[in-house]
Amino acid sequence: MTRVYMDHNATTPLAEVVADRITAVLREEFGNPSSVHHFGQRAKAVVDEARSAVAELIGGDPSEVIFTSGGTESDNFALRGAAEALEPSGRRHLVSSGIEHEAVLNTLKALGRRGWQITMMPVGASGLVTAEALTASLTDQTAVVSIMHANNEIGTIQPVAELTRLAKARGAVVHTDAVQTAGKVPVNVKALGVDLLSISAHKFYGPKGVGALWVRRGLRLLPFMTGGKQERGRRSGTENVAAIAGMGVAARLAMAKMAEEAARLAALRDRLEQRILQTVPGTAVNGDPDTRVPNTSNISFDRIEAESLLIALDLEGVAVSTGSACSSGTLEPSHVLKAMGLPAHRTQNSIRFSLGTVNSEADVDRVVAVLPGVVDKLRSLTRTPVRG
Ligand SMILES: Cc1ncc(COP(=O)(O)O)c(C=O)c1O
């Protein structure tokens, strides 16, 4: 069976040049970057080159890039590190949005249990955080504001630059989770104006388990990994040299191909979306149709349980994902679609198609060929009445 992978927001396959570089570094650069001798200095040069590439990808300075174990650690470090550094100032308030990734949501919950006051901003029907919502949430006590650059489920890109100006005018530190934009669309820390920005290599054809946190020079951040003072004392632990090298190559590859690939994927995504809307009745696109990453389409299917559709598509060789999660036999609605105010039935029946380098027009045609039949079959099995 030919399989179609349309789940690139979950993870991407390793690019060939990245795999080659990782293999070469694993074999040849075994030194510890902290060692002063030849072997150590070679490994340090590998890490430094990757740091320059990652800095260039996001428009920052290499000295501002801290390598981490991925997006989750970067988000944890940003929020906990900035909040704890500001604790003595008496600011004990954190602001974020209801559509953030769990790496942010659950970190905020944990901080909330430790006495931090948390405000979760509502989002509009298309998933955008508004200036009004932020203005209404900010207080003189606000320490950190965290608003994701693009959402992983619906792809909506937030007006981070505008929101950052408002938050900084009230003296808050601003973090953005750019895990779903870095490598896909231009990301520039200066244009965004933020203090902290998280990225993850496996979302742009790099390896899993490596990411970076960009920290604006001069910002105080309390490290939560203490030890041998690697990464300028901010993230201790011997660097994962090969994975970091792979992330560097992936960053350079993304920069080289970004404009061309974004246009190609947007055209494929639009073709997929239009043909699904035309051929499958009872479908609707979720999120902002204009302000979104080029590879993502989130579609609700009336009278369908997303999990069932995902499994049925997988049996046909099509890999997609759902925002809702099936836990202990009950279908959890997507927290993102819920925060957007969608009715209950729309929050449990959405499928995310996220495209990437491996996809072609033939993949789109294959999905469009199997989808109507799969949906019809599932609908014929459900006793839920047709919604008017
Ligand atoms: C928006 C967003 N933030 C954070 C993460 C977590 O990144 P990682 O898998 O590298 O821990 C993801 C991954 O799904 C994501 O989509």
Side-chain angles (χ1 to χ4, degrees):
M1 184 198 295
T2 44
R3 291 198 176 266
V4 176
Y5 183 76
M6 284 198 184
D7 200 14
H8 289 81
N9 286 10
T11 197
T12 56
L14 212 58
E16 197 122 343
V17 281
V18 174
D20 289 347
R21 177 77 175 135
I22 292 172
T23 312
V25 171
L26 277 173
R27 287 181 187 282
E28 292 152 28
E29 308 295 349
F30 69 89
N32 184 327
S34 297
S35 300
V36 292
H37 50 61
H38 171 80
F39 299 93
Q41 292 312 294
R42 279 182 59 140
K44 183 173 180 298
V46 169
V47 172
D48 286 347
E49 152 51 28
R51 201 185 302 284
S52 297
V54 168
E56 205 181 305
L57 178 70
I58 55 174
D61 189 85
S63 64
E64 298 169 317
V65 171
I66 300 172
F67 286 114
T68 65
S69 66
T72 301
E73 183 185 326
S74 296
D75 287 346
N76 267 267
F77 187 15
L79 294 173
R80 293 172 196 269
E84 283 176 15
L86 283 166
E87 209 159 357
S89 73
R91 286 179 180 251
R92 295 279 284 166
H93 179 225
L94 307 170
V95 176
S96 191
S97 82
I99 63 165
E100 299 296 316
H101 189 269
E102 285 82 357
V104 167
L105 292 180
N106 289 334
T107 303
L108 290 173
K109 274 189 199 149
L111 287 166
R113 285 192 291 273
R114 298 213 333 246
W116 288 80
Q117 202 199 325
I118 316 284
T119 300
M120 297 308 279
M121 290 181 289
V123 294
S126 68
L128 285 166
V129 175
T130 62
E132 292 73 43
L134 180 59
T135 305
S137 305
L138 292 167
T139 75
D140 293 337
Q141 297 301 304
T142 307
V144 184
V145 173
S146 182
I147 301 165
M148 73 198 314
H149 195 197
N151 180 268
N152 41 303
E153 283 186 34
I154 53 173
T156 303
I157 300 177
Q158 301 295 337
V160 170
E162 180 196 356
L163 299 171
T164 299
R165 274 195 295 280
L166 293 172
K168 297 201 86 163
R170 297 295 294 269
V173 164
V174 181
H175 165 250
T176 191
D177 175 335
V179 167
Q180 290 293 346
T181 47
K184 284 184 191 152
V185 292
V187 172
N188 186 294
V189 289
K190 294 189 191 82
L192 293 174
V194 294
D195 300 295
L196 296 153
L197 181 137
S198 305
I199 68 172
S200 176
H202 75 100
K203 307 291 184 177
F204 54 95
Y205 309 95
K208 293 163 187 57
V210 62
L213 179 66
W214 174 85
V215 185
R216 182 178 54 74
R217 187 175 302 142
L219 185 80
R220 245 175 63 72
L221 207 61
L222 232 62
F224 74 102
M225 292 278 276
T226 47
K229 296 201 171 60
Q230 286 87 349
E231 299 294 283
R232 295 167 176 253
R234 289 179 141 170
R235 204 274 189 181
S236 291
T238 301
E239 298 85 343
N240 186 349
V241 180
I244 289 170
M247 184 174 186
V249 174
R252 294 220 182 276
L253 190 65
M255 285 185 274
K257 292 195 163 175
M258 191 178 294
E260 191 190 327
E261 184 63 357
R264 190 185 77 87
L265 291 179
L268 280 184
R269 189 264 322 268
D270 291 348
R271 178 186 167 106
L272 174 76
E273 200 168 87
Q274 280 155 17
R275 293 191 48 193
I276 292 176
L277 294 179
Q278 281 162 7
T279 57
V280 186
T283 45
V285 176
N286 300 312
D288 195 284
D290 304 316
T291 319
R292 58 178 167 165
V293 286
N295 76 320
T296 307
S297 180
N298 186 301
I299 300 182
S300 282
F301 294 79
D302 273 1
R303 295 198 298 120
I304 291 281
E305 266 191 359
E307 291 289 319
S308 312
L309 182 50
L310 182 145
I311 292 162
L313 283 173
D314 192 40
L315 291 172
E316 294 287 338
V318 176
V320 293
S321 119
T322 132
S324 45
C326 198
S327 59
S328 45
T330 59
L331 197 65
E332 295 290 326
S334 149
H335 74 276
V336 174
L337 301 184
K338 214 168 143 186
M340 285 157 61
L342 294 189
H345 73 277
R346 282 273 295 270
T347 62
Q348 291 186 338
N349 66 358
S350 83
I351 290 286
R352 175 185 73 187
F353 301 86
S354 51
L355 285 72
T357 50
V358 299
N359 295 131
S360 62
E361 279 191 9
D363 291 348
V364 169
D365 294 347
R366 166 119 182 88
V367 174
V368 175
V370 300
L371 198 52
V374 169
V375 170
D376 267 357
K377 196 167 163 198
L378 288 174
R379 281 184 178 154
S380 71
L381 297 173
T382 160
R383 273 169 280 141
T384 322
V386 180
R387 263 167 242 276

